[in-house]
């Protein structure tokens, strides 16, 4: 499999019109090429946040469960409604694409995820999931932001400076990607990554100060990577993505992954961003939730199919997060309120497929929702340690026993 | 002194502006018979006299010269330059510019644009001699200019089938036939006009769209524009642009306008100038399948009600819409779920205690919906806020007032409670609910406690709001201020005492009182100037100029009216501006 | 050894030389390069006439004027303070006005230091949210930016915005604000490694009793822990103000501030040894005088030596405001504020209490492309109507009609003679030349 560094070399060599290699180039390129011997250094983690609090019980539905049936009046789904996936569980009927991914071994579902003494409010609980810390109030960086810092710190010693993480979407950047030491950009359009006008070739004299030489290298790298992204954009039609904001954002991510410019961490929000996420269905949940899950299922499937078609799926794991699941009991407004545990979805070529862990108990509850049995930070830890190859303890502040989520 | 090339430009422009009534032109067939068929777009100005009467009226000239940018130009001498050119022009043609304009344009102006980007313009002068003088004058100027630069002039002329054509360069060609000036952007196109004149053939006058547009505009129109939508839609960007129109609010408000344009083969715009009143009517022949379009929610049986009259009226919008079926169809119309929509539904769920928004709430309202804005008078107890926001209100009618008014009252008070709760969380002052009486109507209002005396000159923005709910005689009034609510109670009581009559077939009506809007803009001038500075990057002087110009333009708009009607599936829009020009 | 490390080594061996007043001489003549260097560091970058004037006036007179501008800036300050107060409710407008201040200010050093303290105390929109509170906070920084550090520290630490940002809105006796105390010690004063856990908890006790209610602070004596505290070995029934005196008395506090000022004004490249900074730390510890310390730095041999020259990376704000000032154009600063947030420097919103990461952290693939594209937007021809930097007109006004002359003009304006024959720019027409100069690696260091 090509490494990102080698692709960069190819890209740099392939665009003489845009980039003439200056006098600093040979040493720089040598070092860049040597800097990337680690297998898996081109792996990417994509985190899709379902802001608002996704109703896990109507995503992976325990249709046969008495508690479920008794507590849900208008929102109840029966065996006939759902797409059965075994263990007396079924997927929401608007998620046939997810079923296909499950059958193809490209989707894993971690059940019953949450954290101890869960918060009942959006900002508080979101902050816990976004920082990856229970003392989130005092934590100003996001778990992905810290992961970007760790990777970038290593880059600094290797004298390279790719952009390691990005938020994709038009909403304000969430805390998730806030980093103390690295600028994590918001990518609203893939065009943001392109040069709007022809760049001048970098030509820093050899006797220039080390600072200037380093700036020259970074300028050269940025120009080369921008040219690579431009090639990907111009390489023609991509597989169809659904015409939704999530579809557009996933498409941008696929383009960045294909360009292989060193981005390791990508984050987006499928709930519409802002203070109130679209998954927060307190009233008239049925149609709204169905539409959201349809968009999610179609978007993720398009993303997986696109990457798979290009032989890139083994480089990518996509996960969903959400600040909480919802109450077992439907409220008087044909909606549900803030609960606790919910499933996390994982998609990619190397995820452990199928159901992971038991469906949470419907009688043991917290915040009137199913009680969690798996700490979400165990999933984070697995992805940090085993997928991104960085020390989860550094990122999460303590050690968690990783869940087996990778194949 | 202005450069020669600009002088030529100005002269040509005048020549173009100045051509349209009939003198010796009586013996020439209408311009539309000399222009080839197949136009994408055609403009025909026949009533140049009416248009020029307004454009050249003392009121208009005084108004325009009083605009801040022109005042500025006057100060820095820019206006003198222009006057020099005009003087030069007048001296050479031996007539004043207004008369020249009336004469040269007096016979009418016709312009056509073709798919191959050919543009043809025909101007009919009332005086062939003056036209010839103008042509010679511009030629002389162009020659002089070239000589001054030491270049050979690029003026060429040639004969083609008995007509003489001239060109100043490869971007333009023109010919004069009698009192008619023909201008083309390519010399081939000019030849096509001559061919058509000599040989006959399909002319613009024969083009079906032209005929339909002329008929739709009617004989009274001073000018009309024909847009061949069928051909224009072949242009990919136009098609794409039309496809992209539409978001939930937009499609509810514009109800099928975009759909109609998508379906249209012809769009006609007819202009009528009558004194200081300008009317613009747009007619599209696009029939819309009501079942698949938001036009379905625009009801025209009964029609929109006239706007309510209140003191300080700024703007009013009156619609006739079936909100219930609109919202019930939201899944098909707007498949996206935004955080905003979910928040709205969650809140409505709380306010209306779990009632279904479409089936149990919106279905309780009649289709006549009115929204209006008015200037507000500030209570002395409150003082004047530093940013002045007009009062605004929505007025609906309820189907079952006895039952629904209680539901509404409860919902409204819950909303006030929620606002208070949220403001309280942010340590901001809240609203206090009161139930005052106006005439025989008891209504509900929520007010912020009066500010401290020392804050009254520069009160907080919140003092623009004291929301009120009133439900007299089956009406539902939701107002941002108590004052407007009281005025509206009077207005609807008056309306209820008369026969309620909608405007036939009109489903949307907007009226704006430019003069009142200008006073509001003026009241907020400082804030607008500051916003302009950071939003446009202007200096303080530039920002003041921009805002003052805006205020000046708006203040002259007088009362402006826009209405959309739907007649058996075809959409018609009408835009009327009553200009308020400088008083003599 | 590079020239900069050589110069630093000389300074380390001879601190007296390093901080002695720079006198132009054969070794280091006063020229446009050094004039522009001074104006970049003490402000937001010069325009042509400012460089010329400074080059003619010589260093001392120029520094005098930077420390205390001719004329009274009070009118300007009051006008903008009023603009900002009226821009209530929106951090975006506050940002826009601040950028406009930086572009137009008659007192650039004051704005530079206001931004410096904003980065130091790092109160952020993300944590505070309320625009009026943030406006008052930055105004407070501005009022005391060049004065006495101790008084600034006290004002900031009891400012409502700081208390909210550091989760100390309700500091009850039973729940002392340890996060605030830890940040105060680790970030604002003595620095990591120079305090104990008990210093944190004891300092926190001194801050009890302070609450933020309705956007202003209040002191409730019943919630104040008036018992004895021990902080850095000093015992007393300290109040917040008293404990800040104890902390400000620590030499480590002066070291932290002086080191940070060094990084801001002298160099991000090499870490200076303690010995080199001792003179500055001594006098700062004694007087707490910010302006005086800056004056010593700006007048010094070291400041005008290769150890400082182009030894910092321009922050996004310095980069963009510098361009706008150089070309004497006007830009819509609300849009510019958003663009700069994308490049990593959202004013009123530093990422964490540690402030913005600086130096090379400003430059990665995305932000370098972002700078290139911002330069293009600012300087494209015909210009965006929100961004009006018209390089071609600028060249004409300076009598440069052809591309060769215009290129020289731009290189001289933006880089003085630091990239005399930049091949990158050599083929460009007037329209492109200014943008390409702004994209040169040479233009990124301050």
């Amino acid at each position: 499999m090509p490494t990102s560094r080698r692709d960069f070399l190819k890209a740099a060599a392939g665009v003489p019109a845009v980039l003439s290699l200056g006098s600093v180039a040979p040493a720089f390129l040598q070092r860049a090429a040597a800097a990337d011997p680690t297998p898996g250094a081109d792996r990417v983690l994509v985190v899709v946040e379902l802001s608002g609090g996704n109703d896990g019980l109507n995503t992976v539905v325990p249709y046969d469960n008495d508690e479920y049936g008794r507590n849900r009046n208008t929102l109840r789904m029966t065996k006939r409604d759902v797409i059965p996936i075994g263990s007396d569980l079924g997927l929401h009927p608007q998620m046939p694409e997810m079923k296909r991914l499950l059958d193809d071994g490209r989707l894993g579902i971690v059940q019953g995820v949450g954290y101890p003494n869960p918060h009942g409010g959006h900002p508080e609980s979101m902050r816990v999931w976004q920082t990856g810390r229970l003392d989130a109030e005092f934590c100003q960086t996001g778990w992905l932001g810290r992961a970007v810092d760790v990777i970038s710190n290593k880059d600094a010693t290797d004298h390279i400076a790719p952009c390691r993480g990005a938020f994709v979407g038009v909403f304000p950047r969430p805390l998730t990607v806030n980093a103390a030491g690295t600028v994590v950009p918001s990518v609203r359009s893939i065009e943001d990554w392109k040069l709007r006008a022809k760049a001048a070739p970098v030509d820093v004299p050899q006797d220039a100060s080390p600072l200037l030489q380093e700036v020259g290298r970074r300028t050269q790298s940025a120009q080369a990577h921008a040219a690579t992204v431009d090639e990907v954009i111009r390489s023609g039609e991509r597989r169809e993505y659904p015409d939704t904001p999530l579809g557009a954002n996933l498409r941008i991510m696929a383009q960045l992954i294909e360009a292989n410019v060193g981005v390791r961490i990508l984050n987006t929000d499928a709930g519409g961003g802002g203070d109130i996420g679209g998954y927060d269905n307190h009233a008239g949940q049925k149609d709204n939730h169905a539409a959201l899950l349809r968009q999610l299922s179609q978007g993720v499937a398009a993303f997986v199919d696109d990457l798979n078609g290009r032989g890139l799926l083994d480089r990518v794991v996509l996960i969903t997060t959400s600040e909480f699941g919802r109450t077992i009991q439907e409220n008087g407004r044909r909606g549900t309120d803030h609960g606790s545990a919910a499933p996390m979805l994982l998609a990619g070529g190397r995820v452990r497929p199928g159901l992971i862990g038991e469906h949470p108990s419907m009688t043991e509850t917290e915040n009137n929702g199913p009680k969690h049995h798996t700490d979400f930070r165990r999933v984070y830890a697995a992805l940090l340690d085993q997928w991104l190859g960085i020390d989860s303890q550094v990122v999460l502040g303590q050690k968690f026993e990783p869940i087996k989520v990778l194949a | 002194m202005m450069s020669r090339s600009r002088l030529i430009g100005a002269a040509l422009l005048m020549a173009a502006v100045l051509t349209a009534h009939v003198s010796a032109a009586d013996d020439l067939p209408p311009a539309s018979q000399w222009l080839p068929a197949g136009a994408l777009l055609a403009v025909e100005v026949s009533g140049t006299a009416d248009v020029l009467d307004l454009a050249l009226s003392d009121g208009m000239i005084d108004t325009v010269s009083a605009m801040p940018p022109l005042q500025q130009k006057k100060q820095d001498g820019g206006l003198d330059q222009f006057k020099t050119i005009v003087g030069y022009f007048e001296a050479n043609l031996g007539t004043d510019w207004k008369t020249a304009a009336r004469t040269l344009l007096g016979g009418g102006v016709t312009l056509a644009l073709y798919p191959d980007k050919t543009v043809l313009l025909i101007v009919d002068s009332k005086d062939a001699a003056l036209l010839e003088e103008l042509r010679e004058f511009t030629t002389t100027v162009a020659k002089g200019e070239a000589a001054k630069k030491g270049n050979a002039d690029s003026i060429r002329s040639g004969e083609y089938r008995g007509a003489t054509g001239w060109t100043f360069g490869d971007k333009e060609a023109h010919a004069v036939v009698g009192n008619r000036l023909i201008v083309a952007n390519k010399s081939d196109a000019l030849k096509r006009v001559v061919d058509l004149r000599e040989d006959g053939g399909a002319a613009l006058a024969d083009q079906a769209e032209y005929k339909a547009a002329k008929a739709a505009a009617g004989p009274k129109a001073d000018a009309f524009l024909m847009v061949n939508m069928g051909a224009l839609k072949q242009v990919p960007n136009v098609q794409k642009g039309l496809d992209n129109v539409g978001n939930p609010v937009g499609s509810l408000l514009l109800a099928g306008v975009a759909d109609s344009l998508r379906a249209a083969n012809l769009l006609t715009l007819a202009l009528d100038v009558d004194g200081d009143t300008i009317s613009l009517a747009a007619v599209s022949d696009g029939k819309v399948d009501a079942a698949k379009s938001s036009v379905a929610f625009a009801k025209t049986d009964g029609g929109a009600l006239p706007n309510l009259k209140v003191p300080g009226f700024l703007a009013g919008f009156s619609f006739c819409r079936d909100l219930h079926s609109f919202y019930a169809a939201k899944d098909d119309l707007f498949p996206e779920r935004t955080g905003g929509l979910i928040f709205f539904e969650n809140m409505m769920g709380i306010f209306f205690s779990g009632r279904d928004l479409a089936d149990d709430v919106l279905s309780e309202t009649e289709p006549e919906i009115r929204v209006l804005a008015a200037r507000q008078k500030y209570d002395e107890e409150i003082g004047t806020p530093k940013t002045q926001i007009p009062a605004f209100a929505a007025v609906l009618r309820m189907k079952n007032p006895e039952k629904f008014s209680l539901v509404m009252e409860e919902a409204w008070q819950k909303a006030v409670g929620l606002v208070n709760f949220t403001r309280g969380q942010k340590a901001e002052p809240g609203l206090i609910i009161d139930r005052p009486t106006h005439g025989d109507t008891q209504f509900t209002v929520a007010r912020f406690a009066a500010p401290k005396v020392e804050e009254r000159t520069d009160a907080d923005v919140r003092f623009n709001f004291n929301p009120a709910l009133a439900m007299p005689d089956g009406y539902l009034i939701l107002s941002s201020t108590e004052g407007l609510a009281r005025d509206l109670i009077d207005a609807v009581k008056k309306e209820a005492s008369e026969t309620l009559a909608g405007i036939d077939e009109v489903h949307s009506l907007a009226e704006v009182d430019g003069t009142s809007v200008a006073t509001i803009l003026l009241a907020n001038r400082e804030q607008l100037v500051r916003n302009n500075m950071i939003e446009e990057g202007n200096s303080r002087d530039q920002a003041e100029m921009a805002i003052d110009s805006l205020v000046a333009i708006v203040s002259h708009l007088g009362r402006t009216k826009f209405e959309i009607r739907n007649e058996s599936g075809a959409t018609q829009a009408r835009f009327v501006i009553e200009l308020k020009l400088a008083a003599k | 050894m590079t020239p900069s490390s050589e110069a630093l080594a000389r300074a380390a061996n001879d601190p007296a030389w390093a901080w002695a007043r720079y006198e132009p001489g054969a070794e280091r003549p006063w020229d446009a390069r050094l004039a522009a260097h001074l104006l970049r560091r003490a402000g937001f970058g010069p325009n042509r006439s400012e460089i010329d004037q400074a080059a003619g006036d010589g260093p001392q007179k120029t520094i005098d004027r930077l420390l205390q501008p001719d004329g009274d800036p009070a009118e300007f300050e009051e006008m903008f303070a009023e603009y900002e107060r009226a821009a209530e409710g929106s951090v975006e407008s506050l940002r826009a006005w601040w950028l406009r201040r930086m572009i137009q200010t008659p007192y650039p050093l004051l704005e530079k230091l206001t931004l410096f303290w904003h980065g130091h105390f790092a109160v952020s929109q993300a944590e505070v949210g309320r625009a009026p509170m943030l406006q008052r906070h930055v105004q407070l920084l501005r009022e005391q930016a060049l004065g006495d550090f101790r008084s600034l520290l006290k004002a900031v630490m009891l400012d409502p915005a700081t208390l909210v940002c550091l989760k100390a809105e309700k500091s009850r006796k039973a729940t002392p604000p340890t996060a605030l105390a830890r940040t105060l010690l680790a970030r604002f004063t003595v620095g990591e490694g120079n305090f104990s856990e008990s210093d944190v908890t004891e300092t926190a006790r001194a801050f009890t009793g302070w609450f933020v209610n309705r956007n202003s602070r209040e002191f409730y004596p019943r919630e104040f822990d008036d018992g004895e505290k021990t902080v850095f070995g000093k015992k007393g029934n300290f109040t917040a103000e008293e404990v800040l005196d104890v902390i400000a008395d620590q030499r480590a506090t002066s070291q932290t501030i002086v080191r940070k000022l060094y990084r801001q004004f002298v160099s991000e490249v090499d870490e200076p040894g303690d010995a080199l900074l001792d003179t500055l730390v001594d006098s700062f510890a004694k007087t707490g005088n910010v302006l005086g310390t800056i004056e010593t730095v700006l007048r010094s041999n070291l400041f005008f030596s290769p150890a400082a020259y182009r030894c910092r990376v321009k922050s996004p704000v310095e980069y963009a405001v510098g361009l706008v000032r150089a070309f004497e154009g006007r830009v819509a600063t609300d849009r510019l504020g958003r663009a700069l947030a994308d490049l990593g420097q959202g004013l009123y919103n530093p990422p964490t209490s540690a402030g913005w990461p600086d130096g090379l952290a400003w430059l990665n693939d995305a932000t370098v492309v972002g700078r290139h594209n911002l330069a293009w937007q600012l300087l494209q021809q015909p210009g965006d109507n929100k961004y009006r930097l018209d390089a071609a007109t600028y060249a004409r006004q300076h009598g440069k009609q052809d591309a060769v002359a215009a290129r020289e003009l731009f290189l001289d304006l933006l880089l003085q003679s630091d990239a005399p024959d930049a091949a990158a720019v050599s083929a460009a027409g007037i329209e492109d030349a200014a943008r390409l100069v702004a994209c040169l690696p040479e233009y990124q260091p301050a």
Side-chain angles (χ1 to χ4, degrees), chain B residues 285-521:
Chain B
D285 71 343
K287 298 270 197 277
V288 177
D289 179 359
K292 286 189 186 154
S293 161
S294 46
V295 77
F297 312 112
K299 309 194 40 147
T300 47
D301 43 328
L305 292 170
N307 281 309
L308 291 161
K309 299 287 173 280
V310 292
F313 177 90
L314 285 172
F317 305 89
S318 174
F319 303 102
C320 204
R321 295 286 188 283
D322 184 347
L323 288 179
H324 163 245
S325 32
F326 174 78
Y327 204 80
K330 73 172 198 305
D331 285 346
D332 297 327
L333 291 170
F334 324 111
E336 245 168 55
R337 289 299 181 278
T338 58
L341 177 74
I342 301 301
F343 177 71
F344 173 75
E345 295 209 344
N346 288 346
M347 290 302 120
M348 292 301 138
I350 293 173
F351 300 160
F352 292 102
S353 310
R355 285 181 179 80
D356 186 280
L357 189 58
D359 292 333
D360 302 331
V361 178
L362 296 173
S363 60
E364 288 287 334
T365 61
E366 298 280 6
E368 301 89 14
I369 304 150
R370 284 172 290 181
V371 176
L372 67 135
R375 281 204 309 259
Q376 53 172 322
K377 284 198 200 77
Y378 296 94
D379 193 330
E380 277 174 24
E381 288 287 298
I382 306 273
T384 304
K386 45 194 158 181
T387 302
Q388 296 181 31
I389 300 170
F392 49 90
V395 180
L396 293 97
R397 291 192 310 127
M398 298 176 280
K399 286 182 179 156
N400 308 297
E402 318 73 44
K403 203 181 80 195
F404 191 64
S405 59
L406 285 174
V407 174
M408 209 41 231
E409 185 72 46
E410 184 190 330
W412 191 86
Q413 293 205 16
K414 269 191 245 172
V416 171
L418 192 80
V419 167
N420 277 344
F421 182 80
T422 315
R423 289 182 63 88
Q425 279 183 317
K426 290 191 252 169
E428 293 165 347
L431 293 154
I432 298 158
I433 292 183
D434 189 16
R435 296 267 294 153
T437 306
H438 183 76
D440 60 355
T441 305
Q442 191 177 33
F443 65 106
T444 316
V445 61
R447 307 186 192 97
F448 289 105
K452 295 174 201 146
V453 176
E454 65 272 19
E455 287 167 3
R456 283 179 198 167
T457 45
D458 212 13
D460 187 86
V461 191
R462 70 174 184 276
F463 293 108
N464 281 295
F465 304 98
N466 37 22
L469 171 74
M471 291 177 285
D473 294 359
Y475 283 84
L476 168 61
I477 300 169
L478 279 160
S479 169
S480 76
T481 71
E482 179 178 352
L484 182 57
R486 287 178 187 269
D487 290 340
L488 282 169
I489 292 172
D490 292 340
V492 300
K493 288 217 161 243
K494 182 162 181 294
E495 185 178 84
S497 68
E498 296 158 1
T499 322
L500 213 56
I503 310 165
D504 234 9
E505 280 160 343
V506 168
H507 62 65
S508 308
L509 167 71
E511 281 177 281
V512 179
D513 186 322
T515 319
S516 296
V517 172
T519 59
I520 288 281
L521 293 177

Side-chain angles (χ1 to χ4, degrees), chain A residues 26-76:
Chain A
F28 158 48
L29 293 175
Q30 216 176 359
R31 198 159 26 184
D36 194 29
T38 342
D42 60 352
R43 285 179 182 171
V44 180
L45 174 65
V46 174
V47 176
V48 178
E49 185 164 347
L50 315 179
S51 60
N54 179 38
D55 184 8
L57 292 174
N58 270 12
T59 306
V60 177
V61 188
Y63 54 82
D64 244 1
N65 183 285
D66 288 346
E67 285 295 318
Y68 174 77
R70 187 164 55 240
N71 279 296
R72 295 212 166 183
N73 181 16
T74 68
L75 299 176
R76 178 183 181 183

Side-chain angles (χ1 to χ4, degrees), chain A residues 140 188 194 196 218 225, chain C residues 127 342 353 360 365 373:
Chain A
Q140 298 179 330
R188 298 177 189 86
K194 258 177 58 176
R196 305 274 293 269
R218 290 180 181 214
H225 284 164
Chain C
E127 299 296 337
D342 280 346
S353 288
L360 285 163
D365 280 357
N373 286 342

